[in-house]
Amino acid sequence: MVATCLHLSGFACSFVGWIGLIVATATNDWVVTCGYTITTCRKMDELGSKGLWADCVMATGLYHCKPLVDILILPGYVQACRALMIAASVLGIPAIFLLVTVLPCIRMGHEPGAAKYRRSQLGGILIILLAMCGIVATIWFPVCAHRETTIMSFGYSLYTGWIGSALCLFGGCVIVCCSGDAQSFGENRFYYASGSSSPTHAKSAHV
């Protein structure tokens, strides 16, 4: 029972974290920049917002973005962070699918517990990999952006990426390390698959 609860908790954290990484990848408010001194920018009420896909200008009543479409002139760190975040978003698809198929409420025929355990471990490892991609990208981007211009603050997209990466890392570690062994998966599968059987039959499975 404890292993099942840990597995469900790890899955929930991983799923929410993956959604957070997708939001961070799709939005452009990673860092808030300033082309002048911070005092001047505040007086002029003109700030910039830099992300993976566009550079934006924020002023009173104005929000204009310039898409970063010319790959050949983009800084290397922007291209690398794009690749890492896209990889994290794509890796989440098979990872979440694998984890869904091993949930206690899901039954796929008379499948042995060892098969569900292997899928669970593979899904957890993929979650950890995508979390590492998100961590590297969300740390690398602001560090390199600060070398080009003055950063006033971090944007909500970056915070979303940090939180999503942390949730995925935590959820993946829980799934890999704390969600039980192959025998426990087999026991969970048996009880859900044989819920209509008699108590005597269920008890005899442990003999």
PDB file of all heavy atoms in Angstrom, residues 93-115:
ATOM      1  N   ILE A  93       6.440  12.494 -23.257  1.00  0.00           N
ATOM      2  CA  ILE A  93       5.324  11.750 -23.862  1.00  0.00           C
ATOM      3  C   ILE A  93       5.452  10.249 -23.593  1.00  0.00           C
ATOM      4  O   ILE A  93       4.535   9.640 -23.029  1.00  0.00           O
ATOM      5  CB  ILE A  93       5.235  12.059 -25.372  1.00  0.00           C
ATOM      6  CG1 ILE A  93       4.955  13.547 -25.591  1.00  0.00           C
ATOM      7  CG2 ILE A  93       4.153  11.201 -26.033  1.00  0.00           C
ATOM      8  CD1 ILE A  93       4.991  13.967 -27.048  1.00  0.00           C
ATOM      9  N   PRO A  94       6.571   9.596 -23.988  1.00  0.00           N
ATOM     10  CA  PRO A  94       6.671   8.161 -23.659  1.00  0.00           C
ATOM     11  C   PRO A  94       6.772   7.899 -22.166  1.00  0.00           C
ATOM     12  O   PRO A  94       6.290   6.864 -21.676  1.00  0.00           O
ATOM     13  CB  PRO A  94       7.947   7.721 -24.393  1.00  0.00           C
ATOM     14  CG  PRO A  94       8.756   8.957 -24.562  1.00  0.00           C
ATOM     15  CD  PRO A  94       7.757  10.047 -24.740  1.00  0.00           C
ATOM     16  N   ALA A  95       7.391   8.819 -21.419  1.00  0.00           N
ATOM     17  CA  ALA A  95       7.529   8.608 -19.977  1.00  0.00           C
ATOM     18  C   ALA A  95       6.163   8.573 -19.300  1.00  0.00           C
ATOM     19  O   ALA A  95       5.879   7.664 -18.506  1.00  0.00           O
ATOM     20  CB  ALA A  95       8.402   9.710 -19.375  1.00  0.00           C
ATOM     21  N   ILE A  96       5.325   9.547 -19.591  1.00  0.00           N
ATOM     22  CA  ILE A  96       3.991   9.584 -18.977  1.00  0.00           C
ATOM     23  C   ILE A  96       3.150   8.401 -19.439  1.00  0.00           C
ATOM     24  O   ILE A  96       2.400   7.798 -18.655  1.00  0.00           O
ATOM     25  CB  ILE A  96       3.293  10.915 -19.303  1.00  0.00           C
ATOM     26  CG1 ILE A  96       4.050  12.091 -18.673  1.00  0.00           C
ATOM     27  CG2 ILE A  96       1.852  10.899 -18.826  1.00  0.00           C
ATOM     28  CD1 ILE A  96       4.142  12.039 -17.161  1.00  0.00           C
ATOM     29  N   PHE A  97       3.282   8.033 -20.709  1.00  0.00           N
ATOM     30  CA  PHE A  97       2.531   6.872 -21.214  1.00  0.00           C
ATOM     31  C   PHE A  97       2.925   5.597 -20.466  1.00  0.00           C
ATOM     32  O   PHE A  97       2.065   4.812 -20.050  1.00  0.00           O
ATOM     33  CB  PHE A  97       2.773   6.699 -22.712  1.00  0.00           C
ATOM     34  CG  PHE A  97       2.150   5.463 -23.289  1.00  0.00           C
ATOM     35  CD1 PHE A  97       0.786   5.409 -23.531  1.00  0.00           C
ATOM     36  CD2 PHE A  97       2.925   4.344 -23.577  1.00  0.00           C
ATOM     37  CE1 PHE A  97       0.199   4.254 -24.051  1.00  0.00           C
ATOM     38  CE2 PHE A  97       2.349   3.198 -24.096  1.00  0.00           C
ATOM     39  CZ  PHE A  97       0.984   3.150 -24.335  1.00  0.00           C
ATOM     40  N   LEU A  98       4.232   5.398 -20.269  1.00  0.00           N
ATOM     41  CA  LEU A  98       4.691   4.215 -19.543  1.00  0.00           C
ATOM     42  C   LEU A  98       4.177   4.210 -18.108  1.00  0.00           C
ATOM     43  O   LEU A  98       3.763   3.170 -17.586  1.00  0.00           O
ATOM     44  CB  LEU A  98       6.220   4.158 -19.556  1.00  0.00           C
ATOM     45  CG  LEU A  98       6.887   3.805 -20.891  1.00  0.00           C
ATOM     46  CD1 LEU A  98       8.392   4.007 -20.795  1.00  0.00           C
ATOM     47  CD2 LEU A  98       6.560   2.376 -21.295  1.00  0.00           C
ATOM     48  N   LEU A  99       4.203   5.378 -17.474  1.00  0.00           N
ATOM     49  CA  LEU A  99       3.769   5.452 -16.083  1.00  0.00           C
ATOM     50  C   LEU A  99       2.259   5.268 -15.946  1.00  0.00           C
ATOM     51  O   LEU A  99       1.786   4.734 -14.948  1.00  0.00           O
ATOM     52  CB  LEU A  99       4.200   6.787 -15.467  1.00  0.00           C
ATOM     53  CG  LEU A  99       5.718   6.996 -15.344  1.00  0.00           C
ATOM     54  CD1 LEU A  99       6.026   8.363 -14.771  1.00  0.00           C
ATOM     55  CD2 LEU A  99       6.334   5.908 -14.474  1.00  0.00           C
ATOM     56  N   VAL A 100       1.515   5.715 -16.940  1.00  0.00           N
ATOM     57  CA  VAL A 100       0.061   5.514 -16.899  1.00  0.00           C
ATOM     58  C   VAL A 100      -0.274   4.024 -16.983  1.00  0.00           C
ATOM     59  O   VAL A 100      -1.171   3.530 -16.281  1.00  0.00           O
ATOM     60  CB  VAL A 100      -0.622   6.300 -18.040  1.00  0.00           C
ATOM     61  CG1 VAL A 100      -2.071   5.844 -18.222  1.00  0.00           C
ATOM     62  CG2 VAL A 100      -0.597   7.791 -17.753  1.00  0.00           C
ATOM     63  N   THR A 101       0.461   3.280 -17.810  1.00  0.00           N
ATOM     64  CA  THR A 101       0.153   1.858 -17.999  1.00  0.00           C
ATOM     65  C   THR A 101       0.480   1.004 -16.779  1.00  0.00           C
ATOM     66  O   THR A 101       0.044  -0.152 -16.709  1.00  0.00           O
ATOM     67  CB  THR A 101       0.923   1.302 -19.205  1.00  0.00           C
ATOM     68  OG1 THR A 101       2.343   1.428 -18.982  1.00  0.00           O
ATOM     69  CG2 THR A 101       0.534   2.029 -20.475  1.00  0.00           C
ATOM     70  N   VAL A 102       1.254   1.539 -15.839  1.00  0.00           N
ATOM     71  CA  VAL A 102       1.598   0.749 -14.644  1.00  0.00           C
ATOM     72  C   VAL A 102       0.859   1.233 -13.399  1.00  0.00           C
ATOM     73  O   VAL A 102       1.148   0.774 -12.297  1.00  0.00           O
ATOM     74  CB  VAL A 102       3.128   0.778 -14.378  1.00  0.00           C
ATOM     75  CG1 VAL A 102       3.883   0.196 -15.543  1.00  0.00           C
ATOM     76  CG2 VAL A 102       3.622   2.189 -14.082  1.00  0.00           C
ATOM     77  N   LEU A 103      -0.088   2.133 -13.561  1.00  0.00           N
ATOM     78  CA  LEU A 103      -0.886   2.560 -12.417  1.00  0.00           C
ATOM     79  C   LEU A 103      -1.697   1.382 -11.878  1.00  0.00           C
ATOM     80  O   LEU A 103      -2.103   0.502 -12.651  1.00  0.00           O
ATOM     81  CB  LEU A 103      -1.820   3.700 -12.823  1.00  0.00           C
ATOM     82  CG  LEU A 103      -1.163   5.050 -13.136  1.00  0.00           C
ATOM     83  CD1 LEU A 103      -2.216   6.041 -13.616  1.00  0.00           C
ATOM     84  CD2 LEU A 103      -0.432   5.598 -11.914  1.00  0.00           C
ATOM     85  N   PRO A 104      -1.935   1.340 -10.572  1.00  0.00           N
ATOM     86  CA  PRO A 104      -2.651   0.204  -9.992  1.00  0.00           C
ATOM     87  C   PRO A 104      -4.048  -0.013 -10.578  1.00  0.00           C
ATOM     88  O   PRO A 104      -4.543  -1.136 -10.583  1.00  0.00           O
ATOM     89  CB  PRO A 104      -2.739   0.556  -8.499  1.00  0.00           C
ATOM     90  CG  PRO A 104      -1.605   1.496  -8.266  1.00  0.00           C
ATOM     91  CD  PRO A 104      -1.466   2.280  -9.537  1.00  0.00           C
ATOM     92  N   CYS A 105      -4.669   1.057 -11.058  1.00  0.00           N
ATOM     93  CA  CYS A 105      -6.028   0.936 -11.591  1.00  0.00           C
ATOM     94  C   CYS A 105      -6.064   0.491 -13.045  1.00  0.00           C
ATOM     95  O   CYS A 105      -7.134   0.324 -13.621  1.00  0.00           O
ATOM     96  CB  CYS A 105      -6.765   2.259 -11.433  1.00  0.00           C
ATOM     97  SG  CYS A 105      -5.919   3.660 -12.198  1.00  0.00           S
ATOM     98  N   ILE A 106      -4.894   0.320 -13.671  1.00  0.00           N
ATOM     99  CA  ILE A 106      -4.814  -0.078 -15.075  1.00  0.00           C
ATOM    100  C   ILE A 106      -4.467  -1.551 -15.153  1.00  0.00           C
ATOM    101  O   ILE A 106      -3.513  -2.017 -14.531  1.00  0.00           O
ATOM    102  CB  ILE A 106      -3.758   0.749 -15.839  1.00  0.00           C
ATOM    103  CG1 ILE A 106      -4.092   2.241 -15.759  1.00  0.00           C
ATOM    104  CG2 ILE A 106      -3.683   0.299 -17.293  1.00  0.00           C
ATOM    105  CD1 ILE A 106      -5.399   2.621 -16.406  1.00  0.00           C
ATOM    106  N   ARG A 107      -5.229  -2.295 -15.932  1.00  0.00           N
ATOM    107  CA  ARG A 107      -4.981  -3.729 -16.106  1.00  0.00           C
ATOM    108  C   ARG A 107      -4.805  -4.030 -17.585  1.00  0.00           C
ATOM    109  O   ARG A 107      -5.633  -3.643 -18.400  1.00  0.00           O
ATOM    110  CB  ARG A 107      -6.142  -4.543 -15.532  1.00  0.00           C
ATOM    111  CG  ARG A 107      -5.918  -6.056 -15.607  1.00  0.00           C
ATOM    112  CD  ARG A 107      -7.095  -6.806 -15.049  1.00  0.00           C
ATOM    113  NE  ARG A 107      -8.299  -6.576 -15.842  1.00  0.00           N
ATOM    114  CZ  ARG A 107      -9.493  -7.070 -15.539  1.00  0.00           C
ATOM    115  NH1 ARG A 107      -9.650  -7.781 -14.446  1.00  0.00           N
ATOM    116  NH2 ARG A 107     -10.528  -6.805 -16.324  1.00  0.00           N
ATOM    117  N   MET A 108      -3.728  -4.697 -17.931  1.00  0.00           N
ATOM    118  CA  MET A 108      -3.444  -5.057 -19.327  1.00  0.00           C
ATOM    119  C   MET A 108      -3.342  -6.576 -19.428  1.00  0.00           C
ATOM    120  O   MET A 108      -2.250  -7.153 -19.504  1.00  0.00           O
ATOM    121  CB  MET A 108      -2.158  -4.385 -19.799  1.00  0.00           C
ATOM    122  CG  MET A 108      -2.202  -2.870 -19.735  1.00  0.00           C
ATOM    123  SD  MET A 108      -0.676  -2.077 -20.260  1.00  0.00           S
ATOM    124  CE  MET A 108      -0.623  -2.552 -21.988  1.00  0.00           C
ATOM    125  N   GLY A 109      -4.478  -7.261 -19.391  1.00  0.00           N
ATOM    126  CA  GLY A 109      -4.498  -8.715 -19.463  1.00  0.00           C
ATOM    127  C   GLY A 109      -3.878  -9.333 -18.218  1.00  0.00           C
ATOM    128  O   GLY A 109      -3.884  -8.770 -17.130  1.00  0.00           O
ATOM    129  N   HIS A 110      -3.334 -10.521 -18.380  1.00  0.00           N
ATOM    130  CA  HIS A 110      -2.674 -11.230 -17.287  1.00  0.00           C
ATOM    131  C   HIS A 110      -1.172 -10.959 -17.357  1.00  0.00           C
ATOM    132  O   HIS A 110      -0.368 -11.862 -17.584  1.00  0.00           O
ATOM    133  CB  HIS A 110      -2.971 -12.726 -17.377  1.00  0.00           C
ATOM    134  CG  HIS A 110      -4.426 -13.053 -17.252  1.00  0.00           C
ATOM    135  ND1 HIS A 110      -5.089 -13.003 -16.047  1.00  0.00           N
ATOM    136  CD2 HIS A 110      -5.353 -13.389 -18.184  1.00  0.00           C
ATOM    137  CE1 HIS A 110      -6.358 -13.326 -16.230  1.00  0.00           C
ATOM    138  NE2 HIS A 110      -6.552 -13.559 -17.522  1.00  0.00           N
ATOM    139  N   GLU A 111      -0.832  -9.711 -17.160  1.00  0.00           N
ATOM    140  CA  GLU A 111       0.570  -9.289 -17.282  1.00  0.00           C
ATOM    141  C   GLU A 111       1.300  -9.540 -15.966  1.00  0.00           C
ATOM    142  O   GLU A 111       0.790  -9.223 -14.888  1.00  0.00           O
ATOM    143  CB  GLU A 111       0.620  -7.800 -17.633  1.00  0.00           C
ATOM    144  CG  GLU A 111       2.008  -7.287 -17.897  1.00  0.00           C
ATOM    145  CD  GLU A 111       1.984  -5.807 -18.239  1.00  0.00           C
ATOM    146  OE1 GLU A 111       1.127  -5.092 -17.681  1.00  0.00           O
ATOM    147  OE2 GLU A 111       2.808  -5.380 -19.046  1.00  0.00           O
ATOM    148  N   PRO A 112       2.503 -10.112 -16.022  1.00  0.00           N
ATOM    149  CA  PRO A 112       3.266 -10.326 -14.781  1.00  0.00           C
ATOM    150  C   PRO A 112       3.729  -9.006 -14.176  1.00  0.00           C
ATOM    151  O   PRO A 112       3.910  -8.007 -14.869  1.00  0.00           O
ATOM    152  CB  PRO A 112       4.460 -11.185 -15.240  1.00  0.00           C
ATOM    153  CG  PRO A 112       4.601 -10.868 -16.702  1.00  0.00           C
ATOM    154  CD  PRO A 112       3.203 -10.629 -17.196  1.00  0.00           C
ATOM    155  N   GLY A 113       3.931  -9.033 -12.851  1.00  0.00           N
ATOM    156  CA  GLY A 113       4.365  -7.818 -12.169  1.00  0.00           C
ATOM    157  C   GLY A 113       5.726  -7.347 -12.612  1.00  0.00           C
ATOM    158  O   GLY A 113       6.015  -6.149 -12.591  1.00  0.00           O
ATOM    159  N   ALA A 114       6.598  -8.277 -13.054  1.00  0.00           N
ATOM    160  CA  ALA A 114       7.941  -7.889 -13.482  1.00  0.00           C
ATOM    161  C   ALA A 114       7.901  -6.972 -14.697  1.00  0.00           C
ATOM    162  O   ALA A 114       8.706  -6.046 -14.822  1.00  0.00           O
ATOM    163  CB  ALA A 114       8.766  -9.135 -13.797  1.00  0.00           C
ATOM    164  N   ALA A 115       6.943  -7.191 -15.594  1.00  0.00           N
ATOM    165  CA  ALA A 115       6.841  -6.351 -16.792  1.00  0.00           C
ATOM    166  C   ALA A 115       6.412  -4.933 -16.410  1.00  0.00           C
ATOM    167  O   ALA A 115       6.945  -3.945 -16.938  1.00  0.00           O
ATOM    168  CB  ALA A 115       5.854  -6.961 -17.773  1.00  0.00           C
TER     169      ALA A 115
END
